[in-house]
Amino acid sequence: MRNFSHKLKLSSALLKRLQHRVTAGNLNSPRCFTTTEGHRPTIVHKRSLDILHDPWFNKGTAFSMTERDRLDLRGLLPPNVMSSKQQIERFMVDLKRLEVNARDGPSDPNALAKWRILNRLHDRNETMYYKVLIDNIEEYAPIVYTPTVGLVCQNYSGLFRRPRGMYFSAEDRGEMMSMVYNWPSEQVDMIVVTDGSRILGLGDQGVQGIGIAIGKLDLYVAAAGINPQRVLPVMIDVGTNNEKLLADPLYLGLQQHRLEGDEYISVIDEFMEAVFTRWPHVIVQFEDFQSKWAFKLLQRYRNTYRMFNDDVQGTAGVAIAGLLGAVRAQGRPMIDFPKMKIVVAGAGSAGIGVLNAARKTMARMLGNTEIAFESARSQFWVVDANGLITEARENIDLEARPFARKVNEADRQGLKEGASLVDVVRKVKPDVLLGLSAVGGLFSKEVLEALKESTSTRPAIFPMSNPTTNAECTPEEAFSIVGENIIFASGSPFKNVDLGNGHVGHCNQGNNMYLFPGIGLGTLLAGARIISDGMLQAAAECLAAYMTEEEVLNGIIYPPISRIRDITKEVAAAVIKEAIEEDLAEGYRDIDSRELCRLNQEEINTFVENNMWSPEYPTLIYKND
Ligand SMILES: NC(=O)C1=CN([C@@H]2O[C@H](COP(=O)(O)OP(=O)(O)OC[C@H]3O[C@@H](n4cnc5c(N)ncnc54)[C@H](O)[C@@H]3O)[C@@H](O)[C@H]2O)C=CC1
Ligand SMILES: CC(=O)C(=O)O
Ligand SMILES: [Mg+2]
């Protein structure tokens, strides 16, 4: 709260309320950290080794001598009291040792070793772990998140040491309502849940998918400042259809095929009821559910619970922001977006999510009428594993049906049902080629050669599939084949390309990580009843407007990950504002909806900032229960 009133000239009544909120948070929840946490003690109900073994409270060698006395720690630690800065220096020496002989590149085998070292730190000292992650986010996001998190999921049986998060399995039916009370935290703000059925582009990983929920929540803490004591990764194990895992005696999940139909839904229903009973204000992010369930569950829960599907809705927003950036990068106004011809490879949860959102955005720009919505449809050409989707296809997925081209439209373009991607690109000459297919190398030399005939002055190539090996093409391939004048965005990080003439081919990371943390934080702080399309749209528009004209003209359409905390703050503020406008905001803690409504833009920004957790050690005070 330093300089708060001075800076924003807030009314003293409002200032008091905001100040009270921060204070009350600490007192009500002794383990709650906030930005002002460093100045207020935290009450703990344990001492001695119990403290050292609790990653939420542990400070390791940073416990001061007086604290060591107060908490019965004297003698349990080496005598030299270290500052947190020294602790991190010592840790980084260990972590960096791995890099001495490391070759470049995200798939380097050292990535897994780095993950192990970071994970051990996560297990023993959360504050320090998040400090390392936040201060070095560019370097370690690719370790705790895509691409390395994919490798972690695939090798989970071997890597598993200490459990993290909760596991609900098909065997727990009827027990979930009581099981949920086994989690030690009284307050949970954010749950990321997966059933492991489609982890990144790696298919069914069964129980091993918990790694993705952990990785996403790491970003919630690092980017959105959600208190790490209030996040909960969840794995719902309904079996796996991955035969390799089923045959592996060391596999840690249920060794049975996946539940289907009503049996499956009843497990997810029971889980939702249990977590919302214990934590009525929690937000649940569905992650990496196979498409057939992703859409059904989203429709089933989105009007009842505070939930969203990151792959369907988060990805859509990030892609829209990127597509609008691609329009601006041609020196055209965003309103030209409805003129873009877009080829999408992949009609799963992510591809269809993007198509629906892009169509709606175009329709809005064209006047938001039925006719506008209908005409926007004709900007898209969708190719899946069976080629171009037209109305001639038998058994089209319900979600893909609105994007099936009419047979006569396809004919006019010289295309048939099931036409190959290269033929579609050759004939359509799209402005944008976007991949959410999970097929590495799908944008082959031929496909990229065909894109050279694009009618766009600056074609956009978005190989958005993860992890790195599943990217539809590399930036080197894109820039060398299609030319320098492209916009490139991939789902997993790549290094910029040296184009050899003093020019740099910029590699953007088009990943839902730029939106989901802000969507979650904004929803939390607004106390929104549900997450509406308008809130998601506001998040996407905020990201789209974040980059300056100059950056966009230089091909930079997304912020670097080093700015993820800043963009997340802005996205959260945009989400809150929209929730207020839609009358969905019920307030957060002791800031009720009326007070929220009175906040101006600057005050909303400050409200967000003041409720983001930072990794600072609080002073610990022991109190008997
Ligand atoms: N960058 C980002 O933020 C995000 C990236 N993704 C990535 O998108 C990919 C797909 O995810 P989902 O849609 O959930 O998977 P999905 O399995 O539901 O869908 C995959 C789609 O690709 C199609 N496909 C398969 N082979 C193809 C081929 N040869 N040509 C054209 N299409 C082909 C399938 O028919 C299906 O329609 C994954 O790799 C995932 O990691 C997903 C969410 C966010
Ligand atoms: C990024 C993400 O959510 C995915 O690849 O599934
Ligand atoms: Mg995902």
Side-chain angles (χ1 to χ4, degrees), residues 57-197:
F57 301 127
N58 187 24
K59 304 182 192 177
T61 52
F63 279 110
S64 68
M65 289 316 277
T66 48
E67 235 172 359
R68 291 180 192 204
D69 279 340
R70 273 203 314 273
L71 299 171
D72 294 350
L73 290 171
R74 195 171 271 246
L76 300 182
L77 287 160
N80 194 357
V81 176
M82 299 264 170
S83 66
S84 68
K85 188 162 172 275
Q86 286 172 309
Q87 281 185 307
I88 285 172
E89 275 169 21
R90 205 156 38 84
F91 175 79
M92 294 306 275
V93 168
D94 192 27
L95 187 54
K96 293 280 178 185
R97 219 193 311 270
L98 282 171
E99 283 169 23
V100 175
N101 299 316
R103 283 192 325 276
D104 226 357
S107 60
D108 194 292
N110 282 310
L112 216 45
K114 285 184 200 168
W115 180 87
R116 268 205 196 91
I117 294 180
L118 285 166
N119 186 52
R120 284 203 294 267
L121 177 61
H122 199 179
D123 282 345
R124 63 176 189 272
N125 183 335
E126 292 224 340
T127 313
M128 186 171 158
Y129 172 73
Y130 285 111
K131 183 140 184 63
V132 169
L133 186 56
I134 290 170
D135 291 350
N136 304 277
I137 189 81
E138 201 141 5
E139 198 168 354
Y140 297 124
I143 303 294
V144 304
Y145 189 53
T146 185
T148 307
V149 72
L151 212 54
V152 170
C153 290
Q154 288 175 305
N155 293 282
Y156 183 72
S157 288
L159 291 169
F160 179 84
R161 294 289 178 276
R162 277 211 213 177
R164 176 171 295 279
M166 286 195 83
Y167 301 80
F168 295 86
S169 90
E171 301 290 296
D172 296 319
R173 277 174 280 184
E175 300 295 331
M176 294 183 197
M177 194 59 91
S178 54
M179 277 170 72
V180 77
Y181 287 88
N182 289 343
W183 186 249
S185 194
E186 282 307 317
Q187 195 179 337
V188 170
D189 292 337
M190 211 51 238
I191 287 176
V192 175
V193 60
T194 185
D195 69 354
S197 54

Side-chain angles (χ1 to χ4, degrees), residues 1-2 21-23 25-26 29-43 59 62 64 67 70 84 127 131 227 229 610 612-621:
M1 286 288 169
R2 284 184 307 261
R21 195 223 57 72
V22 172
T23 312
N26 291 336
S29 168
R31 295 188 301 204
C32 149
F33 293 51
T34 72
T35 41
T36 55
E37 186 69 24
H39 310 293
R40 308 191 65 81
T42 290
I43 311 293
K59 304 182 192 177
S64 68
E67 235 172 359
R70 273 203 314 273
S84 68
T127 313
K131 183 140 184 63
N227 186 320
Q229 294 168 26
N610 279 314
M612 288 170 73
W613 177 87
S614 296
E616 283 151 28
Y617 290 135
T619 301
L620 301 184
I621 306 286

Side-chain angles (χ1 to χ4, degrees), residues 236-511:
I236 300 187
D237 186 354
V238 294
T240 177
N241 294 342
N242 181 330
E243 298 300 331
K244 217 170 132 205
L245 294 179
L246 287 174
D248 179 357
L250 301 181
Y251 174 59
L252 290 161
L254 285 189
Q255 291 195 303
Q256 64 178 49
H257 283 110
R258 287 185 174 275
L259 295 185
E260 293 293 344
D262 289 347
E263 273 196 304
Y264 174 84
I265 291 186
S266 72
V267 171
I268 313 290
D269 278 354
E270 190 180 337
F271 158 77
M272 290 296 270
E273 216 184 312
V275 293
F276 279 94
T277 299
R278 180 161 184 208
W279 302 293
H281 301 296
V282 72
I283 298 157
V284 178
Q285 171 169 324
F286 277 59
E287 192 66 47
D288 289 6
F289 283 69
Q290 57 184 318
S291 295
K292 76 171 182 184
W293 288 119
F295 295 111
K296 282 199 182 80
L297 296 175
L298 182 60
Q299 288 320 317
R300 189 173 180 83
Y301 301 130
R302 72 170 303 192
N303 296 321
T304 318
Y305 292 121
R306 299 215 293 185
M307 62 79 66
F308 69 107
N309 182 300
D310 181 38
D311 300 292
V312 179
Q313 297 167 298
T315 313
V318 165
I320 296 297
L323 292 172
L324 294 175
V327 180
R328 288 169 72 200
Q330 295 173 34
R332 293 160 68 182
M334 281 199 221
I335 201 79
D336 274 2
F337 179 50
K339 295 181 191 151
M340 303 270 267
K341 284 176 293 177
I342 300 175
V343 170
V344 176
S349 64
I352 294 293
V354 170
L355 284 159
N356 280 324
R359 182 179 181 184
K360 277 188 200 150
T361 305
M362 284 185 180
R364 245 193 317 275
M365 288 177 167
L366 293 169
N368 223 7
T369 60
E370 286 261 325
I371 298 169
F373 189 65
E374 192 43 40
S375 94
R377 191 188 60 85
S378 63
Q379 298 309 114
F380 306 100
W381 297 83
V382 186
V383 177
D384 73 358
N386 299 314
L388 177 67
I389 304 180
T390 70
E391 288 180 351
R393 173 144 343 163
E394 284 167 22
N395 303 323
I396 310 179
D397 285 345
L398 202 63
E399 285 77 21
R401 187 178 294 278
F403 298 97
R405 297 302 300 223
K406 293 187 192 323
V407 172
N408 60 359
E409 284 172 350
D411 274 348
R412 274 204 299 277
Q413 202 68 236
L415 292 166
K416 294 253 169 294
E417 160 60 36
S420 67
L421 180 62
V422 67
D423 276 346
V424 173
V425 173
R426 216 172 261 143
K427 297 282 168 46
V428 174
K429 304 183 197 310
D431 300 81
V432 178
L433 176 58
L434 188 151
L436 284 162
S437 65
V439 180
L442 181 68
F443 298 169
S444 61
K445 186 163 181 285
E446 276 176 297
V447 171
L448 293 173
E449 294 274 4
L451 192 62
K452 281 163 84 171
E453 303 306 314
S454 160
T455 45
S456 168
T457 55
R458 203 169 185 186
I461 306 175
F462 289 4
M464 290 181 72
S465 291
N466 297 313
T468 314
T469 43
N470 292 61
E472 283 81 1
C473 68
T474 66
E476 284 80 8
E477 289 161 349
F479 282 102
S480 68
I481 298 174
V482 187
E484 290 185 13
N485 204 27
I486 59 168
I487 301 295
F488 182 90
S490 53
S492 292
F494 281 97
K495 290 217 162 91
N496 288 343
V497 178
D498 180 356
L499 299 173
N501 47 6
H503 294 178
V504 169
H506 192 86
C507 297
N508 296 279
Q509 191 175 358
N511 191 294

